[in-house]
Amino acid sequence: MISPLLESCGENCGYAAAFVACLAYGSFCVPMKGEAARSVDVDPLVFQSYKTFLCLISALALVYLTGMELSFTPWGIASGFFWVPAGVLHICAVRTAGLAISQGTSSSVVVLVSFTWGIFVFLESVHSVHIACMAILLICCGICGMSFFSSHGKLRAPLVHKSKKDGTGRGDKVVINTDKTVPHEREQLMKPVKNEITKKHTQASTVSKKTDDVPKKKLRRASSSDCFAASGDEENLHVMEIEPSNRNTAASGTQMIIVSLSRFVERNYNVHVTPAQIGLACAATGGVWGGCVMVPLHFAGESTKGLGYTFSFAVGSSLVNVLCWVARYFYHYMRSGKNIHAAYQALPSFHWRKMMLSGCLSGLLWSLGNMGSILSVTYLGVGVGVGITQSAMLVSGLWGIFYFKEIVDVGAIRGWIMSAMLTISGIVILSSQHVTQKEVQAFHKG
């Protein structure tokens, strides 16, 4: 049941919640760019698990502090089914294509998808559908503009490139591009991948000498993720061998997965796709999936709407997250010839010491934004509520300008400000098109 403090709250609470959601959503990716997150290449499902765990903890804390009655709806599982995969894809995008361009792409798609659900499927009331569509167009154009100027000059060079054969018969090397057009942060982000590949090659000869009597077809934990080995050996795409390493010390994850996927596509389908392009595809796909996160809220009962839906969402997301880990373990279990220990070793590391603080902080910020988003959708509808909250690109852009110093060019800053003004104009117009409950009641009485 919704807290008594919010039962008498109207559209103003919806707008206030949307504002809080913008601040939180625009800031939850900041820990991803911290030194701890950059020192290890965290697997996307690991980072998502941190977020899901804090989402559950914050929901339980909310229930305890507000005195709400525990009420659960299966629609929370449906929301989790949309959110967890979308969150994993968003992490992949941020870690490979960059925060600004990924946030801009994802937010634009989320706005379009949620607006389509709210206005054209659920037929939510607005004063004018045409003006509301124009407002959404302004928001999307503004978000794309901020994304463009935030990432100005950062995606000119590929994330990685391949050099000639290394002479070991293992195929092409993955070389980190050190061109000056690639920002220092991108090079730092890719260090774990380079270190992992170097470590894998240097250990290969030692391992082969110690395993003469061991069958060759074993599951090899080449990294802390279950990605294909980046050695270029096509046999590794089907049979992986295990290396005697501590599962908590390997350093690879998102970048290794995306780089390996890029090379797999090029090698098997002769299609050149850069890791940054795959990251953008992840952002767009995650946006489509993420735009449906609040759709199940429309079908939830009155007792589980508003903040009451937070608990159902958290429990549902936790269940989906656990199922993802079970499916991942089962995948390794089958590939390793039903070897329980090898399947466990193939699972990625959580990097507890380095990622606990940043992972939990990111999850806490996202949970705060999620609560604000739920309230805004409850009072303003899916079309208007989600459209406003996804303008968090304003906040993330300010982080990039003033804290991370990502934008130093005066022209780019001016372009970003103009795009921000365009987004704000769209928000104001979209807000003015929302039909209040009083207007609906007056219409029915008339």
Side-chain angles (χ1 to χ4, degrees):
M1 182 177 295
I2 302 176
S3 175
L5 295 176
L6 298 173
E7 288 181 347
S8 59
C9 194
E11 281 75 11
N12 290 333
C13 285
Y15 289 118
F19 176 75
V20 173
C22 280
L23 292 178
Y25 278 155
S27 302
F28 91 91
C29 284
V30 173
M32 289 170 148
K33 296 167 66 68
E35 188 63 31
R38 290 186 300 183
S39 62
V40 290
D41 187 14
V42 183
D43 186 271
L45 185 57
V46 170
F47 210 110
Q48 177 63 32
S49 298
Y50 280 110
K51 290 166 55 182
T52 304
F53 175 72
L54 262 295
C55 181
L56 178 62
I57 294 299
S58 59
L60 293 175
L62 181 67
V63 171
Y64 175 77
L65 294 175
T66 59
M68 292 189 301
E69 296 181 3
L70 284 178
S71 57
F72 177 77
T73 171
W75 290 110
I77 301 177
S79 287
F81 179 73
F82 286 116
W83 175 57
V84 173
V88 171
L89 290 171
H90 185 66
I91 293 168
C92 289
V94 170
R95 298 284 289 171
T96 53
L99 174 60
I101 190 71
S102 299
Q103 191 86 338
T105 302
S106 179
S107 297
S108 299
V109 176
V110 168
V111 168
L112 290 175
V113 172
S114 60
F115 183 78
T116 300
W117 274 105
I119 304 302
F120 299 108
V121 178
F122 298 145
L123 301 178
E124 294 174 346
S125 299
V126 291
H127 291 295
S128 172
V129 174
H130 295 90
I131 296 179
C133 289
M134 183 188 71
I136 289 294
L137 181 62
L138 288 176
I139 293 175
C140 290
C141 289
I143 290 174
C144 290
M146 287 186 291
S147 176
F148 172 78
F149 289 109
S150 296
S151 60
H152 182 67
K154 292 185 178 182
L155 297 178
R156 296 176 183 174
L159 190 62
V160 297
H161 68 271
K162 295 190 297 184
S163 66
K164 60 183 181 179
K165 299 285 183 178
D166 60 1
T168 62
R170 290 186 169 270
D172 298 332
K173 295 180 184 177
V174 176
V175 180
I176 308 303
N177 196 324
T178 56
D179 188 272
K180 293 183 179 180
T181 57
V182 180
H184 176 68
E185 176 188 346
R186 176 90 27 107
E187 297 179 28
Q188 294 285 4
L189 201 61
M190 286 299 294
K191 278 185 178 180
V193 179
K194 184 177 180 181
N195 294 337
E196 178 63 28
I197 296 171
T198 303
K199 177 182 177 181
K200 179 166 61 64
H201 282 292
T202 55
Q203 289 181 345
S205 58
T206 304
V207 174
S208 61
K209 293 179 181 179
K210 295 181 178 180
T211 57
D212 292 336
D213 299 329
V214 180
K216 292 182 179 180
K217 292 186 177 182
K218 289 184 178 180
L219 179 65
R220 178 181 51 130
R221 190 174 182 278
S223 65
S224 63
S225 70
D226 56 346
C227 61
F228 297 135
S231 63
D233 188 354
E234 292 184 1
E235 294 181 357
N236 289 333
L237 298 177
H238 306 286
V239 179
M240 297 188 293
E241 302 173 356
I242 192 167
E243 292 181 0
S245 59
N246 189 328
R247 70 180 304 273
N248 294 321
T249 60
S252 184
T254 307
Q255 278 82 25
M256 183 66 82
I257 292 175
I258 300 300
V259 168
S260 300
L261 178 61
S262 174
R263 300 188 65 196
F264 174 78
V265 171
E266 182 174 1
R267 182 166 50 249
N268 290 272
Y269 301 99
N270 198 28
V271 177
H272 179 66
V273 182
T274 65
Q277 291 171 337
I278 294 179
L280 287 178
C282 289
T285 306
V288 173
W289 213 238
C292 303
V293 169
M294 291 301 163
V295 170
L297 178 59
H298 179 83
F299 302 101
E302 291 297 326
S303 61
T304 53
K305 284 191 175 182
L307 285 180
Y309 191 72
T310 304
F311 177 74
S312 299
F313 180 92
V315 173
S317 299
S318 300
L319 291 175
V320 174
N321 211 132
V322 170
L323 287 177
C324 288
W325 281 108
V326 172
R328 194 163 182 174
Y329 176 82
F330 183 75
Y331 167 77
H332 289 300
Y333 177 74
M334 298 303 295
R335 282 179 65 93
S336 62
K338 298 183 179 180
N339 188 321
I340 297 176
H341 179 70
Y344 172 75
Q345 289 293 321
L347 294 176
S349 171
F350 271 75
H351 301 285
W352 296 108
R353 292 183 179 180
K354 292 186 177 181
M355 289 305 303
M356 177 63 75
L357 180 59
S358 58
C360 291
L361 181 58
S362 178
L364 184 61
L365 288 172
W366 191 93
S367 299
L368 181 62
N370 182 54
M371 294 177 189
S373 180
I374 289 175
L375 285 175
S376 65
V377 169
T378 299
Y379 293 115
L380 305 178
V382 177
V384 177
V386 177
I388 296 176
T389 58
Q390 286 303 312
S391 301
M393 185 67 194
L394 285 165
V395 180
S396 61
L398 292 174
W399 275 106
I401 293 175
F402 295 105
Y403 185 76
F404 293 111
K405 307 296 181 182
E406 292 180 334
I407 310 178
V408 294
D409 182 71
V410 177
I413 293 178
R414 291 175 180 173
W416 188 91
I417 293 176
M418 293 179 63
S419 300
M421 293 176 63
L422 197 64
T423 302
I424 294 174
S425 300
I427 293 174
V428 173
I429 295 174
L430 183 62
S431 300
S432 67
Q433 294 304 303
H434 175 65
V435 178
T436 65
Q437 290 296 326
K438 291 182 179 180
E439 292 174 328
V440 173
Q441 293 173 0
F443 175 79
H444 288 297
K445 288 181 179 180

